Amino acid sequence: MSVNLYTILGVDKYASQEQIDAAYNALKSSAVAGGELAGNLELAYSVLGNIERRAYYDVYGRIPKNKQAERRGSKTGHYGKMSEIRKMLNMVFLFGSVISIVLFIVYITGGSPVPFYWACGASLVIKITEYVARLF
């Protein structure tokens, strides 16, 4: 799109969110439904009305596609899959922690410390795997 989204709404690049909302509401009432101006107005407000999409537009100078500007914690695409992996690792870690506690109690009451050490090591490996998964 060659037209600046700020010019469509008639606001400055440094306009506050309230100014953008006011300009959109004023122009929306005067725009003909289904017209080209109404379409451009909706597009401009969909980008500038969302702080993350607006930041993406300001930095890259183009309209974000398919929620490109969403945060890493969003439930879309790659990051949604990583969130599911983290949940699974947390559940396994929780299960491993319970086993470690049981083995610690067995160790305290006179049992062998080796299973407790193995359970602690496995829990540590699971937690490190989760932290590495957060990098992606």
Side-chain angles (χ1 to χ4, degrees):
M1 173 176 244
S2 62
V3 179
N4 187 341
L5 297 181
Y6 290 103
T7 21
I8 292 173
L9 288 178
V11 295
D12 185 50
K13 182 177 181 176
Y14 304 104
S16 68
Q17 195 63 43
E18 291 81 21
Q19 291 171 326
I20 289 175
D21 291 339
Y24 170 72
N25 289 330
L27 291 171
K28 182 174 73 168
S29 62
S30 65
V32 176
E36 183 180 344
L37 176 63
N40 288 342
L41 186 64
E42 291 297 324
L43 175 65
Y45 186 71
S46 72
V47 174
L48 300 180
N50 181 317
I51 193 160
E52 292 168 350
R53 292 176 59 108
R54 179 179 178 183
Y56 184 92
Y57 176 75
D58 288 342
V59 170
Y60 297 106
R62 62 180 188 262
I63 298 168
K65 298 177 187 172
N66 300 330
K67 302 198 183 249
Q68 271 180 319
E70 295 295 324
R71 292 184 176 197
R72 294 185 82 177
S74 70
K75 296 291 184 192
T76 60
H78 173 70
Y79 300 112
K81 293 175 186 174
M82 291 307 297
S83 176
E84 294 300 318
I85 290 171
R86 278 189 232 126
K87 284 180 188 176
M88 181 189 68
L89 287 172
N90 278 332
M91 292 301 292
V92 171
F93 178 75
L94 180 63
F95 181 71
S97 298
V98 169
I99 290 174
S100 296
I101 290 169
V102 169
L103 290 175
F104 180 71
I105 292 170
V106 169
Y107 167 63
I108 292 295
T109 58
S112 173
V114 175
F116 171 66
Y117 295 149
W118 278 99
C120 288
S123 294
L124 183 63
V125 168
I126 291 167
K127 241 350 174 181
I128 290 171
T129 305
E130 182 198 351
Y131 289 136
V132 169
R134 287 183 187 213
L135 297 175
F136 299 103

